[in-house]
DNA sequence: GGGGTTGGTTCAATGAACGAACCGATGCTG
DNA sequence: CAGCATCGGTTCGTTCATTGAACCAACCCC
């Protein structure tokens, strides 16, 4: 999106938000970041996004304070992109968008999101119906559903098959 | 978006959703539709969107069952685009996106959303804190906030200045 | 020194968005 | 009835973004 950043004419916080996360690929990058993806190459293979676009989006998101670039090892110098509070604050949006997509345009249940403390499936607003609280993102347990390909090609998808909490860094199995 | 519909490689209901509502302008069209905008020209002047793009988006949204084209007068034949249940189901997404935009990237409060029955401002999930219920979209009262330009140029923005319920058709003041 | 990995940048080709012009159907005015 | 306005588009040349392939620099290990 953002051809000339034309949404500026709009007096609306939805337009403000879309100027930042409304570009192609951006929300999928944020989804992956919330799932625990942190490294350039992992985004690349999981999303199938062109390299130049990924680099652009990571810079934009970093500049907007949604991701943070952080060195996790010297020699060879390697950086990772980790989520900030701003990205975490997008979880309800991402969640409700996914729910809408599943209800209206998806055949099978692809993933379950549960309250890690009690195992109850999350309600539509990210709350736990059993505990009657809004579940913090780091306490959301993501599990594969019956509709998910049990043997995907790329290693990131494979790592995301195991039940895991959100935000927890993805560990790619080196073969 | 949707250059070659590349999200198809993604096994994810968020990606499914973004294939439909992730294109430039689309979510703003849906926002306006939820606000009560129904006519081609009203979308045009309120969004400042190129005509060809608007026509394309309206067709796409109609084909996806999110809007419905309906004749509201013969002679001259005029159609309007009205929201369906699928569009209404996007309200929580639109709402949370707007909330995120306001909290992180907007200076002032532009609009208030209240429970029409009791006047209480909506909580983050579209619920009424006082009544402890999720407020149906048609019972959401939209009011201008202090940050909103009190004398906008286009007639649709002017019509949206008055307190009004969501989904209620916009009536443009003919001068 | 050779080969591999990571995290990019560059570039030509393609596709989408933009904005201005045009158009058909109809109604309104004089 | 002629002339002009409105609504809801379509057409088209220009500009901008995305794509995918190639290239590259830094570093590691053998």
């Amino acid at each position: 999106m953002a051809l000339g950043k034309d949404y500026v004419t709009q007096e609306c916080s939805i337009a403000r938000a879309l100027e930042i996360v409304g570009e192609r690929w951006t929300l999928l990058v944020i989804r992956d970041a919330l799932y625990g993806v942190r490294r350039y190459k992992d985004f690349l293979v999981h999303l199938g996004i062109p390299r130049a676009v990924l680099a652009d989006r990571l810079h934009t998101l970093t500049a907007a304070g949604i991701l943070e670039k952080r060195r996790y090892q010297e020699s060879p110098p390697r950086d990772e992109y980790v989520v900030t509070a701003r990205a975490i604050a997008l979880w309800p949006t991402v969640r409700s968008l996914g729910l809408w997509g599943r209800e209206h345009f998806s055949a099978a249940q692809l993933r379950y999101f549960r309250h890690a403390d009690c195992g109850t499936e999350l309600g539509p607003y990210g709350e736990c119906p059993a505990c009657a609280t809004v579940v913090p993102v780091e306490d959301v347990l993501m599990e594969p559903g019956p509709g998910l390909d049990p043997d995907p090609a790329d290693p990131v998808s494979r790592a995301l098959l195991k039940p895991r909490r959100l935000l927890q860094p993805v560990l790619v199995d080196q073969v």
Side-chain angles (χ1 to χ4, degrees), chain A:
Chain A
M1 284 198 199
L3 277 162
K5 260 73 181 173
D6 245 2
Y7 293 163
V8 291
T9 59
Q10 291 282 318
E11 251 193 327
C12 172
S13 45
I14 300 167
R16 290 291 81 68
L18 285 174
E19 280 171 10
I20 300 179
V21 300
E23 286 182 302
R24 183 156 158 78
W25 293 111
T26 301
L27 268 176
L28 291 182
V29 170
I30 293 170
R31 175 205 64 182
D32 271 18
L34 290 173
Y35 284 1
V37 177
R38 294 183 166 191
R39 294 158 69 159
Y40 181 90
K41 205 198 172 189
D42 290 347
F43 284 110
L44 204 65
V45 301
H46 189 231
L47 292 172
I49 181 178
R51 309 176 75 93
V53 177
L54 176 59
D56 175 87
R57 296 300 185 273
L58 289 175
H59 288 147
T60 305
L61 288 173
T62 304
I66 295 167
L67 297 179
E68 206 175 287
K69 191 172 185 171
R70 195 168 67 181
R71 178 137 308 180
Y72 67 94
Q73 71 173 34
E74 314 283 340
S75 173
R78 289 283 181 265
D79 300 317
E80 59 184 3
Y81 295 89
V82 292
V83 294
T84 65
R86 274 189 182 169
I88 292 174
L90 269 175
W91 167 242
T93 305
V94 172
R95 159 90 182 145
S96 71
L97 192 61
L99 215 59
W100 182 83
R102 178 171 75 74
E103 276 180 14
H104 294 277
F105 295 99
S106 187
Q109 179 98 14
L110 295 174
R111 296 183 191 281
Y112 296 108
F113 295 92
R114 305 182 184 281
H115 188 193
D117 294 2
C118 70
T120 311
E121 205 176 347
L122 256 55
Y125 308 110
E127 85 282 11
C128 174
C131 307
T133 48
V134 174
V135 180
V137 176
E138 60 271 18
D139 291 337
V140 174
L141 187 70
M142 179 168 76
E143 284 182 352
L148 211 57
D149 176 7
D151 186 28
D154 75 284
V156 179
S157 293
R158 247 179 289 130
L160 291 176
L161 276 181
K162 302 164 192 137
R164 55 199 318 284
R165 285 178 187 238
L166 293 186
L167 305 188
Q168 201 168 38
V170 167
L171 297 180
V172 172
D173 45 321
Q174 330 282 14
V175 180

